[in-house]
Amino acid sequence: MAAMCMEESIYNLLPYNLDKSCKAPRYVSALKTYVKDTIQQSKSPWKTIGPPKVQVPNPKDFLQKHSKEPKLPQKPGKKHQGVKRVKQFVPKLSDHPLMGIQSSKNFISTNAANVIMGVPKKPLRACVDRRQGDKYVLETSGLIPKYLKKKDYGITPKYVTKRNEEVKRAQEEYDAYVKETLRQRAMKRLSDEDRDNLLEGLKKNWEDVHHEFQSLSVEIDTLPKKHHKERLEAEMKQLEHDIQTIEKHRIIYIANK
């Protein structure tokens, strides 16, 4: 009934055109085959899941005992070390031992002579430190003064003597250098004769300057004359100070520059 109602719709009487749009053909690249071949060549068949063919292990090559242990190299001269020795056969019932072999050697006398003539073995010196009888050898315990009986005991080693000589030589060189430096920088004492000559020379210089000072004009009216007078006064004052110092001190030392 519903289908009939739908068929009898008034809109079905109107003419209409169905628009059937045709799809464009799908794009296919002309280089598709080339790209496919290139990718196939660059691929590795065993890159992720292993090689395509694996060699199947031989069932006879199974893991044996001690097969992975390292083997020592064979020593020279022992070529047949790995060969098993053949055991001697058990004697048969028909085999008879050699009979009648006797020796004239007297073993009792020989052993007695060896004991009498032999050097007795010295017992090891040991120390018992417990009631149960525990003991230890004194030779290696450090209680025996072995080093006191050495030939070189108490003798200074050669390297110590050599080192002491080097230290002594270095100290002597340093003392000589200090003495020479002090001698060069030391103050020299002025002799009495040099002192008298120096004093006479200072007095003579003072007399010359004083004579020049007395020869000045009475009127000092120019600047050069004033400067000349002041210079002469300063020289006379310095000479007087030097003369007083030398006369005051009998012993005079001169420092070396």
Side-chain angles (χ1 to χ4, degrees):
M1 188 69 182
M4 290 174 66
C5 292
M6 291 295 294
E7 291 176 357
E8 293 179 357
S9 177
I10 191 173
Y11 291 103
N12 293 335
L13 302 175
L14 296 174
Y16 62 89
N17 296 326
L18 293 175
D19 237 352
K20 293 183 179 180
S21 59
C22 297
K23 293 183 179 180
R26 187 174 61 177
Y27 173 77
V28 179
S29 176
L31 302 174
K32 180 179 179 181
T33 308
Y34 172 74
V35 173
K36 187 175 181 181
D37 295 342
T38 305
I39 294 173
Q40 194 68 24
Q41 290 176 4
S42 62
K43 282 187 176 180
S44 300
W46 58 86
K47 201 163 187 178
T48 55
I49 58 176
K53 292 183 180 181
V54 182
Q55 186 178 1
V56 182
N58 191 0
K60 295 182 180 179
D61 298 336
F62 57 90
L63 183 62
Q64 297 180 358
K65 187 178 181 181
H66 305 295
S67 61
K68 292 188 177 182
E69 292 181 358
K71 296 181 180 180
L72 297 175
Q74 189 176 5
K75 294 183 179 180
K78 293 186 179 181
K79 298 181 180 180
H80 305 287
Q81 187 176 3
V83 181
K84 294 183 179 179
R85 296 180 180 179
V86 181
K87 295 182 179 180
Q88 297 182 358
F89 295 101
V90 180
K92 299 179 181 180
L93 292 175
S94 59
D95 295 340
H96 299 284
L98 298 175
M99 305 295 291
I101 299 176
Q102 296 181 359
S103 176
S104 60
K105 183 178 180 181
N106 191 352
F107 291 96
I108 297 176
S109 302
T110 305
N111 293 339
N114 291 337
V115 172
I116 293 171
M117 299 299 295
V119 180
K121 185 179 180 181
K122 293 183 180 180
L124 292 174
R125 299 179 63 186
C127 177
V128 180
D129 58 349
R130 295 185 64 185
R131 195 182 305 173
Q132 285 78 7
D134 297 337
K135 62 182 180 179
Y136 54 89
V137 182
L138 288 176
E139 188 70 21
T140 58
S141 63
L143 299 176
I144 300 176
K146 296 189 299 182
Y147 296 97
L148 293 176
K149 299 179 182 179
K150 281 190 172 183
K151 294 181 180 179
D152 57 348
Y153 178 77
I155 300 175
T156 308
K158 293 182 180 180
Y159 73 93
V160 177
T161 307
K162 184 178 179 181
R163 186 180 299 172
N164 293 339
E165 291 177 357
E166 292 177 356
V167 172
K168 186 177 179 181
R169 191 184 311 110
Q171 186 65 30
E172 291 176 356
E173 292 177 358
Y174 177 74
D175 294 342
Y177 169 74
V178 172
K179 185 182 291 185
E180 182 66 20
T181 305
L182 293 177
R183 188 187 65 80
Q184 293 177 0
R185 297 181 180 180
M187 300 179 68
K188 183 180 179 182
R189 180 179 176 180
L190 191 66
S191 62
D192 295 339
E193 184 179 357
D194 294 340
R195 177 178 173 276
D196 296 339
N197 295 335
L198 179 62
L199 191 60
E200 291 178 2
L202 291 174
K203 288 181 179 180
K204 185 178 179 180
N205 292 338
W206 184 87
E207 290 177 358
D208 294 341
V209 175
H210 184 266
H211 179 72
E212 187 177 358
F213 180 78
Q214 293 292 336
S215 302
L216 293 175
S217 60
V218 178
E219 186 178 359
I220 307 298
D221 53 355
T222 60
L223 189 62
K225 291 182 179 180
K226 184 178 180 181
H227 287 335
H228 184 56
K229 180 182 178 182
E230 291 177 355
R231 183 177 61 80
L232 292 176
E233 289 177 352
E235 290 182 2
M236 291 175 61
K237 188 175 180 180
Q238 182 65 34
L239 288 171
E240 289 174 359
H241 175 72
D242 295 341
I243 291 171
Q244 290 178 2
T245 303
I246 294 175
E247 289 178 348
K248 184 178 180 182
H249 300 284
R250 187 68 182 174
I251 299 174
I252 300 174
Y253 289 94
I254 301 175
N256 295 327
K257 294 184 180 180

